[in-house]
Amino acid sequence: VFFCPSCSQDEQGARGWACPSCALLQTRMQSLQPDPRARYRSVYEALKKMVLTEGLWRPLRGINVTMLGAGPAHALYFACYEKMKKSLSDTFQPGRNSHLANGIFWGIAGSVATLLHDAVMNPAEVVKQRLQMFNSPYTSVLGCMRTVHRTEGFRAFYRSYTTQLTMNVPFQAIHFITYELLQERLNPHRQYNPRSHIVAGAVAGAVAAAATTPLDVCKTLLNTQENMALSSLNIRGHLSGMANAFGTVYQLGGLPGFFKGVQARVIYQMPSTAISWSVYEFFKYFLTKRALERKPAS
């Protein structure tokens, strides 16, 4: 029996509260045409400058909207992953254990789970990133949602959904495969082992984050509709679509532009994926143990 700890967090949910300042730093450092007052050379400089000029609580901006979407999104996410992983294994290799097949199943299960997760989290991500932009005109979550809906329509909350999927499907495929492979090395008997869950989760998050940074830069541009960047290229209206986002990023920053904020992104992911996997594995172990204890002896 597989259990989904709906109160646990995966990447975006854990990121929201485990490292909210890193989330904001990533959004700021991925800006293609930042305000002169928001130009940063390193993560440390960005955090220091932000706290000194915008206040101590600025790095926490957007945490509330992320937490609102985290519960339902991650319940769907882990439940779908476990169900898909078990179903694929039972269907295609009953009674066998092929490392290659397992890797494929893990990747497919993680990718399908992402479709459900992002359908819930994408609107929250749009609001969060608009609140996090330097000199943001929005003062609250509800105010931001109302303004975006009134001026850009409901589609604005899903303008980056295809880009989000294009980023998150490979991210989760890499993430899950890396985590499961590391678990086979560090914890071959698949027992509850907090140390192996933390190490494997952190490494898996870092690898997946670095590999998908170019897609995340494009997603941030679509979510924020960065005015200075778009106006510098005489782009009127709203930017939409992965191809347009890629072209705009390349025009403004060349190849290095696709890796803006990679350091913040990796730092952002490592603790959050380590926490999310350790919390998830704990609840899975705890609930499974309780179910076995309650099961009457045959």
Side-chain angles (χ1 to χ4, degrees), residues 25-59:
L25 291 174
Q26 178 185 316
T27 299
R28 293 280 185 93
M29 295 182 78
Q30 286 180 343
S31 177
L32 297 168
Q33 291 286 323
D35 185 285
R37 293 168 294 174
R39 296 182 187 274
Y40 313 115
R41 290 173 294 183
S42 67
V43 173
Y44 173 74
E45 181 192 6
L47 184 60
K48 180 180 177 182
K49 194 172 182 179
M50 197 182 303
V51 170
L52 290 175
T53 60
E54 300 176 56
L56 182 64
W57 299 109
R58 175 62 70 172

PDB file of all heavy atoms in Angstrom, residues 25-59:
ATOM      1  N   LEU A  25      15.465  35.628  -4.575  1.00  0.00           N
ATOM      2  CA  LEU A  25      16.738  35.946  -5.218  1.00  0.00           C
ATOM      3  C   LEU A  25      16.803  35.368  -6.625  1.00  0.00           C
ATOM      4  O   LEU A  25      17.296  36.010  -7.555  1.00  0.00           O
ATOM      5  CB  LEU A  25      17.899  35.406  -4.381  1.00  0.00           C
ATOM      6  CG  LEU A  25      18.155  36.092  -3.042  1.00  0.00           C
ATOM      7  CD1 LEU A  25      19.226  35.344  -2.273  1.00  0.00           C
ATOM      8  CD2 LEU A  25      18.560  37.532  -3.251  1.00  0.00           C
ATOM      9  N   GLN A  26      16.306  34.163  -6.790  1.00  0.00           N
ATOM     10  CA  GLN A  26      16.318  33.538  -8.107  1.00  0.00           C
ATOM     11  C   GLN A  26      15.495  34.359  -9.090  1.00  0.00           C
ATOM     12  O   GLN A  26      15.931  34.617 -10.215  1.00  0.00           O
ATOM     13  CB  GLN A  26      15.745  32.130  -8.002  1.00  0.00           C
ATOM     14  CG  GLN A  26      15.659  31.410  -9.344  1.00  0.00           C
ATOM     15  CD  GLN A  26      14.967  30.071  -9.213  1.00  0.00           C
ATOM     16  OE1 GLN A  26      15.245  29.322  -8.286  1.00  0.00           O
ATOM     17  NE2 GLN A  26      14.073  29.782 -10.123  1.00  0.00           N
ATOM     18  N   THR A  27      14.296  34.781  -8.671  1.00  0.00           N
ATOM     19  CA  THR A  27      13.442  35.592  -9.544  1.00  0.00           C
ATOM     20  C   THR A  27      14.139  36.889  -9.922  1.00  0.00           C
ATOM     21  O   THR A  27      14.142  37.290 -11.096  1.00  0.00           O
ATOM     22  CB  THR A  27      12.100  35.907  -8.839  1.00  0.00           C
ATOM     23  OG1 THR A  27      11.427  34.675  -8.553  1.00  0.00           O
ATOM     24  CG2 THR A  27      11.215  36.763  -9.717  1.00  0.00           C
ATOM     25  N   ARG A  28      14.740  37.562  -8.944  1.00  0.00           N
ATOM     26  CA  ARG A  28      15.409  38.845  -9.199  1.00  0.00           C
ATOM     27  C   ARG A  28      16.621  38.662 -10.125  1.00  0.00           C
ATOM     28  O   ARG A  28      16.838  39.442 -11.053  1.00  0.00           O
ATOM     29  CB  ARG A  28      15.869  39.459  -7.883  1.00  0.00           C
ATOM     30  CG  ARG A  28      14.749  39.901  -6.959  1.00  0.00           C
ATOM     31  CD  ARG A  28      14.181  41.250  -7.368  1.00  0.00           C
ATOM     32  NE  ARG A  28      13.189  41.711  -6.411  1.00  0.00           N
ATOM     33  CZ  ARG A  28      13.464  42.509  -5.380  1.00  0.00           C
ATOM     34  NH1 ARG A  28      14.703  42.909  -5.154  1.00  0.00           N
ATOM     35  NH2 ARG A  28      12.494  42.920  -4.577  1.00  0.00           N
ATOM     36  N   MET A  29      17.428  37.630  -9.851  1.00  0.00           N
ATOM     37  CA  MET A  29      18.671  37.458 -10.608  1.00  0.00           C
ATOM     38  C   MET A  29      18.430  36.940 -12.018  1.00  0.00           C
ATOM     39  O   MET A  29      19.311  37.009 -12.871  1.00  0.00           O
ATOM     40  CB  MET A  29      19.618  36.532  -9.842  1.00  0.00           C
ATOM     41  CG  MET A  29      20.086  37.125  -8.521  1.00  0.00           C
ATOM     42  SD  MET A  29      21.253  36.092  -7.619  1.00  0.00           S
ATOM     43  CE  MET A  29      22.766  36.429  -8.538  1.00  0.00           C
ATOM     44  N   GLN A  30      17.222  36.435 -12.287  1.00  0.00           N
ATOM     45  CA  GLN A  30      16.892  36.005 -13.639  1.00  0.00           C
ATOM     46  C   GLN A  30      16.324  37.138 -14.485  1.00  0.00           C
ATOM     47  O   GLN A  30      16.049  36.947 -15.668  1.00  0.00           O
ATOM     48  CB  GLN A  30      15.886  34.850 -13.585  1.00  0.00           C
ATOM     49  CG  GLN A  30      16.517  33.540 -13.145  1.00  0.00           C
ATOM     50  CD  GLN A  30      15.523  32.408 -13.093  1.00  0.00           C
ATOM     51  OE1 GLN A  30      14.316  32.614 -13.076  1.00  0.00           O
ATOM     52  NE2 GLN A  30      16.027  31.192 -13.056  1.00  0.00           N
ATOM     53  N   SER A  31      16.162  38.322 -13.883  1.00  0.00           N
ATOM     54  CA  SER A  31      15.673  39.473 -14.620  1.00  0.00           C
ATOM     55  C   SER A  31      16.641  39.819 -15.752  1.00  0.00           C
ATOM     56  O   SER A  31      17.851  39.926 -15.547  1.00  0.00           O
ATOM     57  CB  SER A  31      15.518  40.669 -13.673  1.00  0.00           C
ATOM     58  OG  SER A  31      15.118  41.814 -14.379  1.00  0.00           O
ATOM     59  N   LEU A  32      16.101  39.996 -16.958  1.00  0.00           N
ATOM     60  CA  LEU A  32      16.946  40.221 -18.136  1.00  0.00           C
ATOM     61  C   LEU A  32      17.374  41.676 -18.278  1.00  0.00           C
ATOM     62  O   LEU A  32      18.446  41.978 -18.782  1.00  0.00           O
ATOM     63  CB  LEU A  32      16.206  39.766 -19.400  1.00  0.00           C
ATOM     64  CG  LEU A  32      15.893  38.263 -19.448  1.00  0.00           C
ATOM     65  CD1 LEU A  32      14.923  37.961 -20.574  1.00  0.00           C
ATOM     66  CD2 LEU A  32      17.175  37.461 -19.601  1.00  0.00           C
ATOM     67  N   GLN A  33      16.496  42.596 -17.880  1.00  0.00           N
ATOM     68  CA  GLN A  33      16.810  44.027 -17.922  1.00  0.00           C
ATOM     69  C   GLN A  33      16.441  44.635 -16.579  1.00  0.00           C
ATOM     70  O   GLN A  33      15.456  45.357 -16.450  1.00  0.00           O
ATOM     71  CB  GLN A  33      16.023  44.704 -19.053  1.00  0.00           C
ATOM     72  CG  GLN A  33      16.459  44.319 -20.451  1.00  0.00           C
ATOM     73  CD  GLN A  33      17.791  44.973 -20.822  1.00  0.00           C
ATOM     74  OE1 GLN A  33      18.056  46.114 -20.454  1.00  0.00           O
ATOM     75  NE2 GLN A  33      18.616  44.252 -21.558  1.00  0.00           N
ATOM     76  N   PRO A  34      17.217  44.332 -15.530  1.00  0.00           N
ATOM     77  CA  PRO A  34      16.842  44.793 -14.186  1.00  0.00           C
ATOM     78  C   PRO A  34      16.997  46.292 -14.012  1.00  0.00           C
ATOM     79  O   PRO A  34      17.785  46.949 -14.698  1.00  0.00           O
ATOM     80  CB  PRO A  34      17.816  44.032 -13.282  1.00  0.00           C
ATOM     81  CG  PRO A  34      19.015  43.791 -14.137  1.00  0.00           C
ATOM     82  CD  PRO A  34      18.472  43.570 -15.525  1.00  0.00           C
ATOM     83  N   ASP A  35      16.227  46.823 -13.078  1.00  0.00           N
ATOM     84  CA  ASP A  35      16.375  48.209 -12.665  1.00  0.00           C
ATOM     85  C   ASP A  35      17.809  48.384 -12.150  1.00  0.00           C
ATOM     86  O   ASP A  35      18.355  47.476 -11.524  1.00  0.00           O
ATOM     87  CB  ASP A  35      15.370  48.502 -11.543  1.00  0.00           C
ATOM     88  CG  ASP A  35      15.372  49.961 -11.123  1.00  0.00           C
ATOM     89  OD1 ASP A  35      16.312  50.373 -10.424  1.00  0.00           O
ATOM     90  OD2 ASP A  35      14.414  50.662 -11.480  1.00  0.00           O
ATOM     91  N   PRO A  36      18.446  49.537 -12.421  1.00  0.00           N
ATOM     92  CA  PRO A  36      19.825  49.756 -11.936  1.00  0.00           C
ATOM     93  C   PRO A  36      19.988  49.524 -10.440  1.00  0.00           C
ATOM     94  O   PRO A  36      21.056  49.135  -9.981  1.00  0.00           O
ATOM     95  CB  PRO A  36      20.080  51.223 -12.298  1.00  0.00           C
ATOM     96  CG  PRO A  36      19.205  51.478 -13.478  1.00  0.00           C
ATOM     97  CD  PRO A  36      17.967  50.660 -13.238  1.00  0.00           C
ATOM     98  N   ARG A  37      18.922  49.722  -9.671  1.00  0.00           N
ATOM     99  CA  ARG A  37      18.988  49.511  -8.233  1.00  0.00           C
ATOM    100  C   ARG A  37      18.849  48.036  -7.860  1.00  0.00           C
ATOM    101  O   ARG A  37      18.958  47.683  -6.685  1.00  0.00           O
ATOM    102  CB  ARG A  37      17.885  50.319  -7.540  1.00  0.00           C
ATOM    103  CG  ARG A  37      18.072  51.828  -7.627  1.00  0.00           C
ATOM    104  CD  ARG A  37      16.816  52.546  -7.179  1.00  0.00           C
ATOM    105  NE  ARG A  37      15.707  52.296  -8.096  1.00  0.00           N
ATOM    106  CZ  ARG A  37      14.453  52.702  -7.884  1.00  0.00           C
ATOM    107  NH1 ARG A  37      14.161  53.358  -6.776  1.00  0.00           N
ATOM    108  NH2 ARG A  37      13.507  52.448  -8.775  1.00  0.00           N
ATOM    109  N   ALA A  38      18.577  47.204  -8.847  1.00  0.00           N
ATOM    110  CA  ALA A  38      18.386  45.775  -8.570  1.00  0.00           C
ATOM    111  C   ALA A  38      19.335  44.924  -9.411  1.00  0.00           C
ATOM    112  O   ALA A  38      18.982  43.839  -9.861  1.00  0.00           O
ATOM    113  CB  ALA A  38      16.935  45.378  -8.835  1.00  0.00           C
ATOM    114  N   ARG A  39      20.541  45.428  -9.594  1.00  0.00           N
ATOM    115  CA  ARG A  39      21.570  44.651 -10.304  1.00  0.00           C
ATOM    116  C   ARG A  39      22.476  43.993  -9.264  1.00  0.00           C
ATOM    117  O   ARG A  39      23.038  44.677  -8.405  1.00  0.00           O
ATOM    118  CB  ARG A  39      22.398  45.554 -11.225  1.00  0.00           C
ATOM    119  CG  ARG A  39      21.586  46.170 -12.357  1.00  0.00           C
ATOM    120  CD  ARG A  39      22.469  47.015 -13.277  1.00  0.00           C
ATOM    121  NE  ARG A  39      21.693  47.732 -14.250  1.00  0.00           N
ATOM    122  CZ  ARG A  39      21.308  47.247 -15.428  1.00  0.00           C
ATOM    123  NH1 ARG A  39      21.661  46.014 -15.759  1.00  0.00           N
ATOM    124  NH2 ARG A  39      20.598  47.968 -16.262  1.00  0.00           N
ATOM    125  N   TYR A  40      22.613  42.677  -9.350  1.00  0.00           N
ATOM    126  CA  TYR A  40      23.369  41.937  -8.344  1.00  0.00           C
ATOM    127  C   TYR A  40      24.444  41.088  -9.007  1.00  0.00           C
ATOM    128  O   TYR A  40      24.210  40.482 -10.047  1.00  0.00           O
ATOM    129  CB  TYR A  40      22.422  41.027  -7.546  1.00  0.00           C
ATOM    130  CG  TYR A  40      21.153  41.705  -7.072  1.00  0.00           C
ATOM    131  CD1 TYR A  40      19.912  41.288  -7.552  1.00  0.00           C
ATOM    132  CD2 TYR A  40      21.200  42.757  -6.167  1.00  0.00           C
ATOM    133  CE1 TYR A  40      18.745  41.906  -7.118  1.00  0.00           C
ATOM    134  CE2 TYR A  40      20.028  43.375  -5.728  1.00  0.00           C
ATOM    135  CZ  TYR A  40      18.808  42.945  -6.217  1.00  0.00           C
ATOM    136  OH  TYR A  40      17.648  43.551  -5.798  1.00  0.00           O
ATOM    137  N   ARG A  41      25.608  41.026  -8.367  1.00  0.00           N
ATOM    138  CA  ARG A  41      26.713  40.220  -8.903  1.00  0.00           C
ATOM    139  C   ARG A  41      26.812  38.855  -8.252  1.00  0.00           C
ATOM    140  O   ARG A  41      27.471  37.962  -8.771  1.00  0.00           O
ATOM    141  CB  ARG A  41      28.043  40.982  -8.722  1.00  0.00           C
ATOM    142  CG  ARG A  41      28.173  42.211  -9.621  1.00  0.00           C
ATOM    143  CD  ARG A  41      29.418  43.008  -9.284  1.00  0.00           C
ATOM    144  NE  ARG A  41      29.320  43.596  -7.944  1.00  0.00           N
ATOM    145  CZ  ARG A  41      30.244  44.392  -7.409  1.00  0.00           C
ATOM    146  NH1 ARG A  41      31.346  44.662  -8.097  1.00  0.00           N
ATOM    147  NH2 ARG A  41      30.090  44.896  -6.203  1.00  0.00           N
ATOM    148  N   SER A  42      26.184  38.684  -7.103  1.00  0.00           N
ATOM    149  CA  SER A  42      26.232  37.398  -6.411  1.00  0.00           C
ATOM    150  C   SER A  42      25.013  37.251  -5.526  1.00  0.00           C
ATOM    151  O   SER A  42      24.286  38.218  -5.265  1.00  0.00           O
ATOM    152  CB  SER A  42      27.491  37.311  -5.549  1.00  0.00           C
ATOM    153  OG  SER A  42      27.429  38.241  -4.467  1.00  0.00           O
ATOM    154  N   VAL A  43      24.788  36.034  -5.059  1.00  0.00           N
ATOM    155  CA  VAL A  43      23.655  35.762  -4.178  1.00  0.00           C
ATOM    156  C   VAL A  43      23.785  36.550  -2.875  1.00  0.00           C
ATOM    157  O   VAL A  43      22.820  37.154  -2.403  1.00  0.00           O
ATOM    158  CB  VAL A  43      23.560  34.244  -3.886  1.00  0.00           C
ATOM    159  CG1 VAL A  43      22.502  33.970  -2.827  1.00  0.00           C
ATOM    160  CG2 VAL A  43      23.261  33.470  -5.153  1.00  0.00           C
ATOM    161  N   TYR A  44      24.993  36.581  -2.317  1.00  0.00           N
ATOM    162  CA  TYR A  44      25.211  37.288  -1.053  1.00  0.00           C
ATOM    163  C   TYR A  44      24.941  38.782  -1.213  1.00  0.00           C
ATOM    164  O   TYR A  44      24.271  39.403  -0.383  1.00  0.00           O
ATOM    165  CB  TYR A  44      26.638  37.065  -0.567  1.00  0.00           C
ATOM    166  CG  TYR A  44      27.000  37.899   0.642  1.00  0.00           C
ATOM    167  CD1 TYR A  44      26.499  37.573   1.909  1.00  0.00           C
ATOM    168  CD2 TYR A  44      27.817  39.028   0.521  1.00  0.00           C
ATOM    169  CE1 TYR A  44      26.805  38.352   3.018  1.00  0.00           C
ATOM    170  CE2 TYR A  44      28.130  39.809   1.617  1.00  0.00           C
ATOM    171  CZ  TYR A  44      27.624  39.465   2.863  1.00  0.00           C
ATOM    172  OH  TYR A  44      27.924  40.240   3.956  1.00  0.00           O
ATOM    173  N   GLU A  45      25.464  39.374  -2.297  1.00  0.00           N
ATOM    174  CA  GLU A  45      25.254  40.805  -2.525  1.00  0.00           C
ATOM    175  C   GLU A  45      23.770  41.110  -2.701  1.00  0.00           C
ATOM    176  O   GLU A  45      23.264  42.113  -2.194  1.00  0.00           O
ATOM    177  CB  GLU A  45      26.020  41.260  -3.764  1.00  0.00           C
ATOM    178  CG  GLU A  45      25.866  42.749  -4.039  1.00  0.00           C
ATOM    179  CD  GLU A  45      26.363  43.165  -5.406  1.00  0.00           C
ATOM    180  OE1 GLU A  45      26.733  42.287  -6.205  1.00  0.00           O
ATOM    181  OE2 GLU A  45      26.350  44.374  -5.687  1.00  0.00           O
ATOM    182  N   ALA A  46      23.067  40.228  -3.419  1.00  0.00           N
ATOM    183  CA  ALA A  46      21.636  40.440  -3.650  1.00  0.00           C
ATOM    184  C   ALA A  46      20.861  40.434  -2.350  1.00  0.00           C
ATOM    185  O   ALA A  46      20.021  41.307  -2.091  1.00  0.00           O
ATOM    186  CB  ALA A  46      21.107  39.362  -4.602  1.00  0.00           C
ATOM    187  N   LEU A  47      21.135  39.441  -1.504  1.00  0.00           N
ATOM    188  CA  LEU A  47      20.416  39.331  -0.240  1.00  0.00           C
ATOM    189  C   LEU A  47      20.716  40.522   0.675  1.00  0.00           C
ATOM    190  O   LEU A  47      19.803  41.108   1.276  1.00  0.00           O
ATOM    191  CB  LEU A  47      20.794  38.019   0.454  1.00  0.00           C
ATOM    192  CG  LEU A  47      20.057  37.707   1.761  1.00  0.00           C
ATOM    193  CD1 LEU A  47      18.557  37.624   1.523  1.00  0.00           C
ATOM    194  CD2 LEU A  47      20.579  36.407   2.360  1.00  0.00           C
ATOM    195  N   LYS A  48      21.984  40.880   0.761  1.00  0.00           N
ATOM    196  CA  LYS A  48      22.389  42.002   1.612  1.00  0.00           C
ATOM    197  C   LYS A  48      21.752  43.310   1.148  1.00  0.00           C
ATOM    198  O   LYS A  48      21.191  44.073   1.947  1.00  0.00           O
ATOM    199  CB  LYS A  48      23.915  42.125   1.592  1.00  0.00           C
ATOM    200  CG  LYS A  48      24.456  43.265   2.449  1.00  0.00           C
ATOM    201  CD  LYS A  48      25.981  43.323   2.366  1.00  0.00           C
ATOM    202  CE  LYS A  48      26.525  44.497   3.164  1.00  0.00           C
ATOM    203  NZ  LYS A  48      28.007  44.594   3.054  1.00  0.00           N
ATOM    204  N   LYS A  49      21.811  43.551  -0.166  1.00  0.00           N
ATOM    205  CA  LYS A  49      21.272  44.794  -0.727  1.00  0.00           C
ATOM    206  C   LYS A  49      19.752  44.855  -0.549  1.00  0.00           C
ATOM    207  O   LYS A  49      19.190  45.906  -0.243  1.00  0.00           O
ATOM    208  CB  LYS A  49      21.640  44.871  -2.207  1.00  0.00           C
ATOM    209  CG  LYS A  49      21.438  46.242  -2.842  1.00  0.00           C
ATOM    210  CD  LYS A  49      22.029  46.242  -4.245  1.00  0.00           C
ATOM    211  CE  LYS A  49      21.888  47.623  -4.884  1.00  0.00           C
ATOM    212  NZ  LYS A  49      22.489  47.632  -6.257  1.00  0.00           N
ATOM    213  N   MET A  50      19.114  43.719  -0.710  1.00  0.00           N
ATOM    214  CA  MET A  50      17.663  43.656  -0.586  1.00  0.00           C
ATOM    215  C   MET A  50      17.212  43.980   0.833  1.00  0.00           C
ATOM    216  O   MET A  50      16.278  44.756   1.053  1.00  0.00           O
ATOM    217  CB  MET A  50      17.187  42.254  -0.987  1.00  0.00           C
ATOM    218  CG  MET A  50      15.705  42.153  -1.297  1.00  0.00           C
ATOM    219  SD  MET A  50      15.276  40.450  -1.683  1.00  0.00           S
ATOM    220  CE  MET A  50      16.393  40.129  -3.045  1.00  0.00           C
ATOM    221  N   VAL A  51      17.877  43.377   1.817  1.00  0.00           N
ATOM    222  CA  VAL A  51      17.513  43.600   3.211  1.00  0.00           C
ATOM    223  C   VAL A  51      17.774  45.054   3.617  1.00  0.00           C
ATOM    224  O   VAL A  51      16.954  45.682   4.301  1.00  0.00           O
ATOM    225  CB  VAL A  51      18.289  42.634   4.132  1.00  0.00           C
ATOM    226  CG1 VAL A  51      18.105  43.022   5.594  1.00  0.00           C
ATOM    227  CG2 VAL A  51      17.830  41.202   3.908  1.00  0.00           C
ATOM    228  N   LEU A  52      18.903  45.600   3.174  1.00  0.00           N
ATOM    229  CA  LEU A  52      19.266  46.969   3.552  1.00  0.00           C
ATOM    230  C   LEU A  52      18.363  48.022   2.912  1.00  0.00           C
ATOM    231  O   LEU A  52      18.043  49.028   3.531  1.00  0.00           O
ATOM    232  CB  LEU A  52      20.726  47.248   3.169  1.00  0.00           C
ATOM    233  CG  LEU A  52      21.799  46.511   3.999  1.00  0.00           C
ATOM    234  CD1 LEU A  52      23.184  46.782   3.429  1.00  0.00           C
ATOM    235  CD2 LEU A  52      21.720  46.934   5.467  1.00  0.00           C
ATOM    236  N   THR A  53      17.953  47.807   1.672  1.00  0.00           N
ATOM    237  CA  THR A  53      17.188  48.833   0.942  1.00  0.00           C
ATOM    238  C   THR A  53      15.682  48.607   0.954  1.00  0.00           C
ATOM    239  O   THR A  53      14.916  49.565   0.804  1.00  0.00           O
ATOM    240  CB  THR A  53      17.658  48.916  -0.533  1.00  0.00           C
ATOM    241  OG1 THR A  53      17.454  47.632  -1.162  1.00  0.00           O
ATOM    242  CG2 THR A  53      19.125  49.292  -0.609  1.00  0.00           C
ATOM    243  N   GLU A  54      15.256  47.345   1.143  1.00  0.00           N
ATOM    244  CA  GLU A  54      13.819  47.066   1.054  1.00  0.00           C
ATOM    245  C   GLU A  54      13.221  46.522   2.342  1.00  0.00           C
ATOM    246  O   GLU A  54      12.016  46.310   2.422  1.00  0.00           O
ATOM    247  CB  GLU A  54      13.554  46.073  -0.092  1.00  0.00           C
ATOM    248  CG  GLU A  54      14.012  46.592  -1.451  1.00  0.00           C
ATOM    249  CD  GLU A  54      13.822  45.546  -2.540  1.00  0.00           C
ATOM    250  OE1 GLU A  54      12.682  45.064  -2.718  1.00  0.00           O
ATOM    251  OE2 GLU A  54      14.811  45.206  -3.217  1.00  0.00           O
ATOM    252  N   GLY A  55      14.061  46.260   3.322  1.00  0.00           N
ATOM    253  CA  GLY A  55      13.545  45.793   4.608  1.00  0.00           C
ATOM    254  C   GLY A  55      13.838  44.327   4.876  1.00  0.00           C
ATOM    255  O   GLY A  55      14.052  43.530   3.962  1.00  0.00           O
ATOM    256  N   LEU A  56      13.809  43.978   6.144  1.00  0.00           N
ATOM    257  CA  LEU A  56      14.167  42.637   6.579  1.00  0.00           C
ATOM    258  C   LEU A  56      13.218  41.564   6.058  1.00  0.00           C
ATOM    259  O   LEU A  56      13.628  40.438   5.784  1.00  0.00           O
ATOM    260  CB  LEU A  56      14.193  42.605   8.116  1.00  0.00           C
ATOM    261  CG  LEU A  56      14.593  41.281   8.778  1.00  0.00           C
ATOM    262  CD1 LEU A  56      16.043  40.923   8.418  1.00  0.00           C
ATOM    263  CD2 LEU A  56      14.424  41.367  10.282  1.00  0.00           C
ATOM    264  N   TRP A  57      11.930  41.916   5.899  1.00  0.00           N
ATOM    265  CA  TRP A  57      10.930  40.918   5.533  1.00  0.00           C
ATOM    266  C   TRP A  57      10.738  40.760   4.029  1.00  0.00           C
ATOM    267  O   TRP A  57       9.972  39.903   3.599  1.00  0.00           O
ATOM    268  CB  TRP A  57       9.584  41.269   6.186  1.00  0.00           C
ATOM    269  CG  TRP A  57       9.661  41.286   7.677  1.00  0.00           C
ATOM    270  CD1 TRP A  57       9.609  42.380   8.492  1.00  0.00           C
ATOM    271  CD2 TRP A  57       9.841  40.154   8.537  1.00  0.00           C
ATOM    272  NE1 TRP A  57       9.747  42.020   9.803  1.00  0.00           N
ATOM    273  CE2 TRP A  57       9.888  40.648   9.867  1.00  0.00           C
ATOM    274  CE3 TRP A  57       9.963  38.785   8.320  1.00  0.00           C
ATOM    275  CZ2 TRP A  57      10.055  39.811  10.965  1.00  0.00           C
ATOM    276  CZ3 TRP A  57      10.122  37.946   9.419  1.00  0.00           C
ATOM    277  CH2 TRP A  57      10.166  38.458  10.712  1.00  0.00           C
ATOM    278  N   ARG A  58      11.406  41.571   3.238  1.00  0.00           N
ATOM    279  CA  ARG A  58      11.243  41.483   1.782  1.00  0.00           C
ATOM    280  C   ARG A  58      11.566  40.093   1.220  1.00  0.00           C
ATOM    281  O   ARG A  58      10.857  39.608   0.332  1.00  0.00           O
ATOM    282  CB  ARG A  58      12.107  42.553   1.098  1.00  0.00           C
ATOM    283  CG  ARG A  58      12.127  42.481  -0.415  1.00  0.00           C
ATOM    284  CD  ARG A  58      10.748  42.683  -1.003  1.00  0.00           C
ATOM    285  NE  ARG A  58      10.297  44.055  -0.847  1.00  0.00           N
ATOM    286  CZ  ARG A  58       9.199  44.562  -1.392  1.00  0.00           C
ATOM    287  NH1 ARG A  58       8.429  43.780  -2.128  1.00  0.00           N
ATOM    288  NH2 ARG A  58       8.849  45.800  -1.185  1.00  0.00           N
ATOM    289  N   PRO A  59      12.624  39.411   1.709  1.00  0.00           N
ATOM    290  CA  PRO A  59      12.917  38.085   1.159  1.00  0.00           C
ATOM    291  C   PRO A  59      11.803  37.055   1.353  1.00  0.00           C
ATOM    292  O   PRO A  59      11.804  36.010   0.703  1.00  0.00           O
ATOM    293  CB  PRO A  59      14.185  37.664   1.916  1.00  0.00           C
ATOM    294  CG  PRO A  59      14.841  38.952   2.293  1.00  0.00           C
ATOM    295  CD  PRO A  59      13.701  39.867   2.612  1.00  0.00           C
TER     296      PRO A  59
END
